[in-house]
Amino acid sequence: MQYKRIYILQYSALFPCKKQPYGTEPFTSYQSSLTKYVIGAREKGAVPVFITSVHRRSFDENGRLVNTLGDYPNAMIQLSKKLGVQLIDLWSKTGELYQSLGPERSKKLFMWLEPNCHPNYPNGIQDNTHFCEEGAKQIAKLVVEGIKEIRLPISMFILE
């Protein structure tokens, strides 16, 4: 049996950072960049698959998850339809996960460490972007779930 190469592309949660003077705009340069990757993958005989960015951990005063990524996830979703690229909507999946856990319990997915608990962070850390080991495992499970949902051929190789 012949299998095609699969090119999985997540391109990137960090674009909406206001601190940086560069970047892309969701429905123009961001989509243009993604399109170049899709064309390149297809020219090489690979099947492109988009994965939307994960949510950052950000809740409002009522405990509702806040979108910190602007229109970037929706721009990728729109482009996936336009170009016929399969999509794993990790943005929606992580939104559901974080919301189900709420503001306090969702901290267990991220790099939230008390002072003197880790030698690399003697003062502790409260990072709402980067995952700890448990968070990485949970996100990986969501990606596997997405692979199965869109029936990528590699799903037959996934062991439970």
Side-chain angles (χ1 to χ4, degrees):
M1 182 179 278
Q2 186 78 11
Y3 295 102
K4 288 189 172 196
R5 285 180 272 171
I6 297 172
Y7 179 62
I8 297 177
L9 178 64
Q10 182 188 46
Y11 184 75
S12 165
L14 301 179
F15 280 110
C17 282
K18 302 286 187 221
K19 297 176 188 172
Q20 299 175 353
Y22 55 87
T24 63
E25 293 297 322
F27 294 102
T28 56
S29 51
Y30 177 68
Q31 286 187 335
S32 176
S33 293
L34 288 171
T35 300
K36 290 176 187 174
Y37 283 107
V38 169
I39 291 168
R42 288 177 172 161
E43 285 175 350
K44 299 288 185 187
V47 176
V49 177
F50 286 161
I51 300 182
T52 55
S53 297
V54 297
H55 270 276
R56 288 189 180 102
R57 189 188 156 278
S58 180
F59 290 87
D60 67 17
E61 61 279 350
N62 297 314
R64 289 182 301 233
L65 190 63
V66 174
N67 174 16
T68 62
L69 301 179
D71 287 328
Y72 288 90
N74 288 325
M76 180 179 270
I77 292 166
Q78 180 192 74
L79 187 64
S80 74
K81 293 173 185 171
K82 179 180 176 185
L83 299 179
V85 173
Q86 288 183 293
L87 175 89
I88 297 171
D89 190 356
L90 201 53
W91 185 59
S92 292
K93 290 179 178 298
T94 56
E96 291 169 12
L97 175 62
Y98 304 171
Q99 193 64 59
S100 73
L101 293 172
E104 286 304 311
R105 289 186 8 203
S106 62
K107 290 178 185 177
K108 73 177 184 175
L109 303 176
F110 293 87
M111 290 296 297
W112 273 66
L113 301 172
E114 295 295 325
N116 302 314
C117 287
H118 194 284
N120 291 345
Y121 304 99
N123 298 323
I125 188 171
Q126 294 182 356
D127 182 339
N128 293 309
T129 299
H130 299 98
F131 301 107
C132 63
E133 184 176 348
E134 176 60 25
K137 288 177 182 177
Q138 294 300 316
I139 301 308
K141 287 179 183 178
L142 295 177
V143 173
V144 167
E145 179 182 282
I147 287 170
K148 290 178 179 180
E149 287 171 355
I150 63 173
R151 297 187 174 124
L152 285 180
I154 60 172
S155 63
M156 70 177 76
F157 301 108
I158 297 172
L159 303 175
E160 297 297 324

